[in-house]
Amino acid sequence: MLLPATPAALRRAAAALRRGEPVGFPTETVYGLGANALDPAAVRRIFEAKGRPDDNPLIVHVTGLPMLRRLVLEVPAEVRALAARFWPGPLTIVLSKRRSVPDVVTAGLPTVAVRIPDHPVALALIEAAGVPIAAPSANRSGRPSPTRAAHVARDFPGLLVLDGGPARHGLESTVVALGDPPRVLRLGAVPVEELSRVLPGLVVATKARARAESPGMKHRHYAPARPLVLYRRSRAAALREALEADPRALLLCADADAPLFPGRSPVRLGGEPDEIAHRLFDALRTERRGSLLLAYAVEKRGLLRAVMDRLERAATRIV
Ligand code: TXA
Ligand code: MG
């Protein structure tokens, strides 16, 4: 059930959360499927509803540092610096958890991933519920993340969903672990270059390392309803041939690259990097008729690095 995020709808959603029921809600990155983070039974319902493997920990959303302090053993100086620059916003930080955080939230890890979302509805919902909210992206496990309330309603018929309009970033938060060196475990809406300014020595964890530290990274993600073949930027000619061979194939590319593939009207990713990030999951959920999705890679820099990460993980094959 889609409800515009009015004060009455917020009260209703907060009451549902307190009763242990799941709620779909908007954040600035993607829509979340929320549960009271301190109620293990409520959190288990999120895993069941998503069909999520139980070794994939959830992000806990809080309104501010006082609520955060109730969940973690300590708030290191780096966190205060990161918070000053990026919170509220699309940055998730992995910290040592207190016992009050149920194991089901963290998939048994000794750490908990936390962030302060930059969305008035998300903040008002946490405030009204009076508890931190554990929330993965509100898609069935393995599907593209939802950037609109309607995507959530489609994946979860019957779920109470607060509609806050299309997500501003359209790409999930960047997940970072502190330590020596600090590591990006998942690329996301805060580009690595920007994070490095606050966290000198920051490295992007290798795929193997990210999988070991952040179990969610090993699962299949973002799969569109049909196969997606991703062509590297050096393989434009191969992509042209594939398009000629299959007139029903749908082309997915950035606006600037469309002239490389004349005669096809692409599923558009847009122009500027933030527009491309914003449209990506919508494009993966395209309802246009056709056979395969054939995607042309974007350059791996800034925000587009995270876009490429998602495309690579969505792809059934990379050429
Ligand atoms: O933007 C976002 O982050 C969205 C919105 C709803 O906040 N949430 C989201 O959640 O993308 P989800 O569940 O789709 O992805 C959570 C990621 C996974 O890659 C998981 O492995 C990682 O965060 N994660 C969660 N807890 C962790 C922990 N304790 N240690 C390492 N990684 C963790
Ligand atoms: Mg997700």
Side-chain angles (χ1 to χ4, degrees), residues 30-31 50 52 56 59 135-146 172 186 221-222 281 310:
V30 299
Y31 274 71
K50 282 195 56 137
R52 183 176 176 103
N56 189 355
I59 294 171
S137 50
N139 50 279
R140 297 265 318 157
S141 196
R143 298 259 297 137
S145 300
E172 301 93 333
R186 177 179 72 177
H221 273 87
Y222 315 116
F281 289 133
R310 303 304 188 266

Side-chain angles (χ1 to χ4, degrees), residues 153-174:
R154 209 164 302 149
D155 275 14
F156 302 101
L159 176 74
L160 196 172
V161 184
L162 293 175
D163 188 347
R168 180 149 44 88
H169 293 291
L171 195 67
E172 301 93 333
S173 61
T174 303

